[in-house]
Every structure is written in structure tokens, then in C-alpha cells.
Amino acid sequence: MTPDAPDSRDLLSFLDFHVAAGVDAVLDETPHDRFAEPEAPRRAVRAESEPPARPAPIAAEAPARAAPPRREPSPQPEAPRAEAPSTYGRSAAAAPGEAAGDARDLAATAATLEELEGLLARFESCALRFTAKNLVFADGNPQARVMFVGEAPGADEDRVGKPFMGRSGQLLDRMMAAIGLDRTNAYVGNVVPWRPPGNRNPTPQELATCKPFIERQIALADPDILVCLGGVATQALAGTKDGILKSRGRWFPYRTDKREIRLLATLHPAYLLRQPLQKRLAWRDFRALRAALDAGRP
Ligand code: URA
């Protein structure tokens, strides 16, 4: 006796099961055991879906940024104009320290934010890039005096390719508006620029691999004040192991390769959506941020 073919209800409940388990992206029609595949064929598969081996120079590919000149941009060193390879880094299964080392070496070569975005778009040592739809690099004005840094993109950000686009982004926009900020006078990024599948937390390895890129992004944007949204961003950038309920409202020194700036830790908007009573604490932090901005450059 042949088993009954699955009907549409079976298929729908099968899909529901996977969505509930956090599977929300389809990569291929058939499953592959990527761990069982040798490295060479894996790279060959990737190459089929990638742009031609010799892409246009990085700067030409980067999206144009129109930004009101709020302050003098920092002088930036001449970039080496060598022909760029199509991808950077080793396999996503590289040893944790090696991937972070690759990231550090590569990020240091970016002389502009556009170059950094181009390098990230070709960086292969973080497995998240293979499940994400888009690289989520930044939004807002890179010349602003204040930069907000979140944790990692969610589904809305992954779809649009910009940080803080969903419900927590809308709340962030309202919090910024309450102190006279918006995306024309603030710059927004994330510690991890690719969406972790199913919105899970980024692993320590993913954070370590992505950290050199956000550090370079901060150095190149050169804001006066960095605001870390939530515990993940605060622990990654402020050098504290304290939980966010302890570190929020605190100012930390933050050193870029140019100068020391100030870092303010505050609550993540996604947390505030779940715990609306805590908005009073965030409001305190945002008032302190406004006061620091009004006080002028550090
Ligand atoms: N949460 C984040 O930390 N970053 C985003 O871009 C969106 C939600």
C-alpha cells in the first residue's frame, strides 16, 4: 500500500513547524550538509551565485550618500587603489581567532565608510552572511555628532538592508525625536551587520568576527558621542561585563584610532517594547544625551 500523498493541510502544518522552530529563510530546493562538503565544491557553489570575478572598484559600487554637512569631515588618508578581489576571508567555518584576525586586518584597510561597506559585502568569514538577505550597514547621517549602535538586524532590517526599520526602529525614531534627533542628524549601525537566523542572539564568535568592522565604522564616522542600545552592544564596545540594567545611564570613555569620545549605555528599544515601564529609565538617558550634545564637543 502506498502512503497517502500529503495534502495542503499537512504541508502547511509542516511549514508552520519550521517557522516556529526559527527556520524562516529558504536557501535552496534540496537540503545540503555543508559540514560534510569539502571546501572546494562549496566555494564553487558560491561562485555561481556571485558577481563576476573582477567587480568594479569598491568605491564605485557603494551607494551614494547625500548628507547635510553638519561639521567638517575628518581628513581621511588616501586609499590604496589596488584591484579588489571578489571575496575576502576564509571559509565561514574558520577558527574563531582566525576569522576575527582576518576581519581586523581587512577593516583596517578601509579609508572611507563606503570602502568599509564594500569590504564587508565581500567578507566571507562570518557564516551569517550566507543566511541573511542583505548586508545591513548603516542608516542616517555619517557626519552626525551622535551614533547609535544596536545589536544585529531583525527580519525587517534584513529585508530593507537598513538598521532599525521594524517596531523597535519606530520606537527608536520616537525616542530620538523627543530630543530633537532623527536620521538626518544621527547615524545608526549595528555591532553585527547580518541578521542571525530566526532572530537568535549573535554568538560570541560572530560578535568577535564582526567587532573590528563596527570599530572601524565608528572611527571613520568619528561621532562625538556613541550610544549603545542594549547589553550586547554595550558589552561589545564599552569593555564592561555588567548587564545593561547596571550599565545603562553610565558614560564610558571610548577610544578610536583618532581620539577619545564618550559612550552612553542605554536600554534597547526591543526591550522597552516588552517592558514599557522601563521607558522612564531610557528617557533619563536620552535627556542626559541631549544635555551632552548641547554642551558642545568634548
Ligand atoms: N535590533 C537591533 O539591534 N538592530 C536593528 O537594526 C534592529 C533591531
Side-chain angles (χ1 to χ4, degrees):
M1 198 174 109
T2 49
D4 290 339
D7 65 19
S8 58
R9 268 187 317 182
D10 294 334
L11 291 173
L12 278 175
S13 69
F14 182 72
L15 271 178
D16 280 347
F17 169 81
H18 280 85
V19 171
V23 179
D24 55 3
V26 179
L27 300 181
D28 208 340
E29 293 198 355
T30 50
H32 300 275
D33 182 353
R34 298 285 183 196
F35 292 103
E37 288 175 11
E39 178 63 9
R42 207 160 87 203
R43 293 191 71 83
V45 169
R46 230 179 264 152
E48 282 165 21
S49 58
E50 276 168 2
R54 281 179 177 274
I58 295 165
E61 289 181 2
R65 265 158 225 284
R70 277 187 56 87
R71 64 187 163 90
E72 283 300 307
S74 314
Q76 296 186 333
E78 268 297 298
R81 292 285 160 205
E83 187 95 31
S86 60
T87 59
Y88 297 98
R90 55 196 90 218
S91 122
E98 288 176 342
D102 288 347
R104 208 170 308 113
D105 293 346
L106 190 62
T109 67
T112 64
L113 289 166
E114 288 77 10
E115 276 186 28
L116 186 68
E117 184 173 3
L119 293 177
L120 259 174
R122 297 182 192 139
F123 181 68
E124 293 215 324
S125 297
C126 181
L128 293 177
R129 66 160 283 159
F130 298 110
T131 48
K133 289 192 178 71
N134 280 301
L135 170 69
V136 176
F137 183 69
D139 194 22
N141 182 351
Q143 296 187 322
R145 291 180 57 215
V146 58
M147 174 171 179
F148 292 85
V149 180
E151 177 179 325
D156 294 309
E157 293 76 22
D158 186 38
R159 195 169 25 79
V160 179
K162 287 185 177 176
F164 286 100
M165 289 286 121
R167 282 184 68 224
S168 55
Q170 287 157 17
L171 177 55
L172 176 63
D173 285 342
R174 288 200 299 277
M175 290 160 70
M176 288 185 353
I179 57 164
L181 295 175
D182 58 29
R183 298 193 191 206
T184 68
N185 56 15
Y187 186 51
V188 186
N190 278 310
V191 176
V192 173
W194 294 284
R195 181 193 182 207
N199 290 351
R200 65 163 170 76
N201 291 337
T203 64
Q205 178 179 345
E206 288 157 358
L207 286 165
T209 304
C210 295
K211 191 171 158 184
F213 290 105
I214 185 67
E215 287 176 335
R216 188 75 188 135
Q217 192 173 351
I218 295 163
L220 290 168
D222 194 25
D224 292 341
I225 294 176
L226 193 61
V227 181
C228 284
L229 300 166
V232 170
T234 301
Q235 289 188 351
L237 298 174
T240 178
K241 289 194 167 50
D242 287 344
I244 190 63
L245 289 176
K246 184 153 183 219
S247 54
R248 67 135 283 280
R250 260 167 62 196
W251 290 92
F252 297 81
Y254 181 85
R255 254 228 90 75
T256 71
D257 57 6
K258 293 194 174 91
R259 62 182 176 130
E260 186 171 295
I261 61 171
R262 300 171 75 198
L263 181 161
L264 174 65
T266 191
L267 301 171
H268 194 288
Y271 169 77
L272 297 174
L273 287 170
R274 295 191 303 272
Q275 303 286 339
L277 279 183
Q278 301 287 55
K279 283 182 188 169
R280 64 210 154 97
L281 297 177
W283 176 230
R284 242 183 252 167
D285 301 342
F286 270 60
R287 282 210 334 242
L289 170 62
R290 183 69 262 168
L293 287 168
D294 290 344
R297 283 182 78 110

